[in-house]
Amino acid sequence: RWGEVRAAVRRAALLAQVGDPAVAEQALRAAADHAGRAGMTAHQRGTLFNLCVLHAAQSRPADVLAVAQACWAIPPPLPREALRTQLELAFVEAHGALGQLGDAWHWLQLALDDALAIGQIAGLAGAVLAGLELLALLGETARAGPLLAALDGAAEAAHFVGEMSLVRAECALLDGDTEGAECAMAALPGPSETPRVQVREAIVRAALRLAQGRPAQALAALPADDAPGHNDELRWRALAVRLDAERMGPGVSDETLGRARVALPREGVHAIALWLLHRALARADATEAPGLAARTAALAASLASHPAQRAAFEARWGGHLPV
């Protein structure tokens, strides 16, 4: 029986990597149920986490959250191990994408503590990748210092250097630190072989060129909407850069304005990317300022249980038209 469960789990994991997503989802759910009935808790949890990863790749944060909650609820409580950190980071990404910044902050604090205590490179790097933008939004970037120090110079961290450099550049640009973004991008080890990371790098390079005052070069660097690896989150980040580049260069086209306005009502995909897009739209069209203010206030309200972070977020991002 255990052999059957292991075979089902391996097949489901393989389908998640190379198969049709709908077929992979069915296989992962079936394998997790099979493992649960057999009392193979570790296999059940690992399979559910793979399902979280599959949903995240499809920009389905509500489904990520539901599966993560089911996985977390399996008795006994997860010990302090790698999977626990990975699951906490799944909560961070899901809550953040749903605009629930307070819940994301709660889980990020747990993940930071666990990643540092466990000390595994993958967990430390995962915490940087999943949490650095939230830390930047909340004025808590210093919390990433111990993670980055633990990763600095570690040979095993080489696999993560590329995407971590992109995240650090994104956060530097968010803070208006063009020089910091340039330094982060200079640390890139070379072109990534992962389509999603390739798209992300193109967007960050475009944003950096814009911050350097080169809107034409920024527009030229943006990836095509149908580029392999694209998803809605990345399209919205790219569209925000396009809005600003057109505004600073040839003027914002009706097509770009229309695409941005169509995206705004699409809640439940990636709230932070949508907020960044709304900020760019408000810079191009002042009539969007009230809508942006309401969106920003909703994000701030989600931090009600964390008054210090709410105050920092409101002081940094609320009450004025973004520049």
Side-chain angles (χ1 to χ4, degrees):
R1 186 180 184 184
W2 284 21
E4 292 177 2
V5 172
R6 291 191 182 97
V9 168
R10 285 195 297 269
R11 175 180 175 274
L14 180 62
L15 284 170
Q17 294 178 26
V18 300
D20 178 82
V23 175
E25 179 177 348
Q26 291 179 345
L28 287 167
R29 291 188 182 279
D33 289 343
H34 197 173
R37 291 194 300 271
M40 299 172 67
T41 301
H43 285 76
Q44 183 185 16
R45 283 175 168 154
T47 304
L48 287 174
F49 177 73
N50 285 336
L51 185 56
C52 286
V53 173
L54 180 68
H55 289 329
Q58 298 173 297
S59 299
R60 294 166 57 185
D63 291 324
V64 174
L65 183 58
V67 175
Q69 289 169 335
C71 187
W72 190 265
I74 297 170
L78 266 168
R80 184 170 255 178
E81 60 183 23
L83 180 60
R84 172 168 155 157
T85 305
Q86 291 173 327
L87 196 59
E88 288 164 342
L89 293 173
F91 278 110
V92 172
E93 293 188 311
H95 282 301
L98 293 169
Q100 301 160 356
L101 302 191
D103 290 328
W105 172 239
H106 164 77
W107 285 101
L108 182 56
Q109 292 177 88
L110 297 177
L112 295 178
D113 290 344
D114 283 346
L116 287 167
I118 295 168
Q120 290 187 358
I121 295 300
L124 294 165
V128 173
L129 292 173
L132 192 58
E133 184 172 57
L134 180 61
L135 292 174
L137 289 174
L138 302 183
E140 297 280 355
T141 308
R143 291 288 300 271
L147 299 173
L148 296 171
L151 289 163
D152 187 34
E156 308 97 301
H159 176 72
F160 303 99
V161 167
E163 196 163 7
M164 283 196 298
S165 296
L166 295 178
V167 173
R168 295 180 75 171
E170 286 174 341
C171 292
L173 291 170
L174 193 61
D175 287 336
D177 180 7
T178 303
E179 183 177 349
E182 291 170 345
C183 289
M185 293 300 285
L188 282 172
S192 171
E193 296 181 357
T194 304
R196 176 185 55 80
V197 179
Q198 292 171 359
V199 169
R200 188 173 193 174
E201 179 180 343
I203 296 168
V204 178
R205 287 196 182 281
L208 178 56
R209 290 175 183 177
L210 183 62
Q212 294 167 333
R214 299 189 290 161
Q217 290 87 342
L219 289 169
L222 285 170
D225 273 357
D226 59 352
H230 238 324
N231 58 25
D232 285 333
E233 175 201 349
L234 293 175
R235 287 189 185 92
W236 293 345
R237 292 180 185 272
L239 186 54
V241 175
R242 181 174 295 281
L243 275 165
D244 282 333
E246 289 185 1
R247 177 176 57 85
M248 294 174 61
V252 182
S253 70
D254 290 340
E255 178 187 358
T256 301
L257 287 171
R259 288 172 56 200
R261 290 176 179 136
V262 166
L264 290 185
R266 291 194 57 203
E267 304 291 348
V269 177
H270 201 284
I272 294 173
L274 199 58
W275 174 71
L276 293 171
L277 175 59
H278 207 160
R279 285 172 59 82
L281 183 58
R283 287 189 286 265
D285 179 0
T287 65
E288 289 290 340
L292 172 63
R295 189 181 298 275
T296 304
L299 290 174
S302 76
L303 289 157
S305 298
H306 308 278
Q309 286 69 37
R310 178 176 184 170
F313 181 85
E314 290 176 330
R316 176 67 178 86
W317 308 109
H320 56 85
L321 193 65
V323 295

